[in-house]
Amino acid sequence: MTDTFGGRLAAQFAAGRRLCVGIDPHASTLAAWQLDDTAANAERLGREVVAAAAGEVACIKPQIAFFERFGSAGYVALERVFADAREAGLLVIADVKRGDIGSTFAAYADAWLKPGSPLEADAMTVHAYQGLGTLAGASEYTSEHGKGLFVLSATSNPEAKAVQLAHVETGETLAQYVLSGARDMNAAQGGEVGSVGVVLGATVNLDDFAIDRATTHDGPVVPVLAPGFGFQGASVGEVRELFASLAAGVLVSESRSIVNGGADQVGSSIALSNERIMEAYA
């Protein structure tokens, strides 16, 4: 059996690597790099970020929409970024936010998690608003092929709050229900760190969502993909205060604060973020 995604993530944590660099080739970001808004330049940006990140960060997280907007040329660019990342030994989280029922979700999993797929990543972001049971379409990949999932739980966009604060049959908020479900799925697999994680925004008050962040639970650590650090305003120095017991599984996700300074500053921005993370976890 292939090493689990959680096991590979645990190795990154043990090596002191918790930074997840987002690759989001906005038109404005390409302009900051003095590049035209084209698929070829999205590829160039992505591959240069991968080169700077190799051996320095836990993972990269390409935001698929910023490649997809170029159509087939964007997917070719994305495949090349993925290939470079695999060659560099970087974990890749495909930020695709897919979700559906039955065979449709299984097809999404085939696209993004199936070994040998041109779009093969180590993990993908998903939503479970049609029920946690719909994630079963990826179970073969998480249990047999070392892949991971990050399920949207409490996100920073204000439009999501009304949905994520809704209460489900268990009495939990939807956000907490997703976290509970991730814990249950990881418990079945075992290991130090689970392969099913959640997305929790670093700029939101998790207590507002009734997220259980104060209790240490038995079983694997739940990976937490935490966007919102850097450009969006959250401070890495507050990671333990923000996430409490969940901090053990946090991947510090930064995109614009790493990439927007231009090609010449990516390496130094990664180094600075790593320094801040190391201080926060010392």
Side-chain angles (χ1 to χ4, degrees):
M1 177 179 166
T2 305
D3 289 342
T4 65
F5 175 73
R8 286 178 285 150
L9 201 55
Q12 295 295 321
F13 291 164
R17 291 189 286 268
R18 288 181 175 270
L19 181 60
C20 177
V21 175
I23 300 178
D24 305 354
H26 296 258
S28 59
T29 302
L30 292 170
W33 283 51
Q34 299 184 338
L35 298 173
D36 293 333
D37 189 22
T38 67
N41 286 332
E43 176 186 333
R44 175 179 169 183
L45 181 148
R47 297 178 78 175
E48 289 195 27
V49 172
V50 166
E56 302 296 328
V57 309
C59 58
I60 61 165
K61 180 178 68 67
Q63 168 47 259
I64 305 310
F66 292 106
F67 292 88
E68 191 173 57
R69 66 198 180 99
F70 296 113
S72 59
Y75 274 101
V76 170
L78 187 63
E79 289 173 17
R80 290 170 179 162
V81 173
F82 278 20
D84 282 4
R86 282 193 294 271
E87 186 175 346
L90 286 167
L91 294 177
V92 177
I93 301 173
D95 195 359
V96 296
K97 298 182 178 71
R98 299 299 198 252
D100 215 314
I101 59 172
S103 60
T104 307
F105 182 75
Y108 284 134
D110 285 345
W112 298 102
L113 300 178
K114 184 177 182 178
S117 167
L119 297 170
E120 179 187 356
D122 296 285
M124 62 187 287
T125 59
V126 301
H127 68 77
Y129 296 125
Q130 287 153 305
L132 286 170
T134 62
L135 303 182
S139 61
E140 175 187 352
Y141 298 124
T142 57
S143 63
E144 300 297 329
H145 296 288
K147 302 301 185 180
L149 301 174
F150 285 91
V151 193
L152 301 185
S153 175
T155 59
S156 58
N157 57 307
E159 304 88 351
K161 197 169 185 178
V163 175
Q164 293 167 355
L165 281 176
H167 285 74
V168 298
E169 291 179 347
T170 62
E172 300 166 296
T173 62
L174 178 59
Q176 174 59 38
Y177 177 69
V178 167
L179 175 57
S180 298
R183 285 187 173 127
D184 290 344
M185 286 182 269
N186 289 330
Q189 187 179 70
E192 177 186 351
V193 176
S195 294
V196 179
V198 294
V199 179
L200 295 174
T203 58
V204 302
N205 185 339
L206 297 181
D207 291 335
D208 289 347
F209 293 82
I211 292 292
D212 178 10
R213 63 189 185 95
T215 305
T216 301
H217 290 260
D218 294 332
V221 169
V222 176
V224 176
L225 181 61
F229 291 103
F231 184 89
Q232 294 183 53
S235 170
V236 174
E238 298 176 344
V239 65
R240 293 187 186 276
E241 179 182 348
L242 293 170
F243 291 96
S245 66
L246 296 172
V250 164
L251 276 168
V252 174
S253 181
E254 296 190 39
S255 302
R256 283 172 282 183
S257 56
I258 299 291
V259 177
N260 273 18
D264 295 339
Q265 296 184 30
V266 173
S268 59
S269 295
I270 287 173
L272 180 59
S273 291
N274 279 336
E275 181 180 337
R276 290 170 175 164
I277 293 168
M278 292 290 284
E279 290 175 355
Y281 279 88

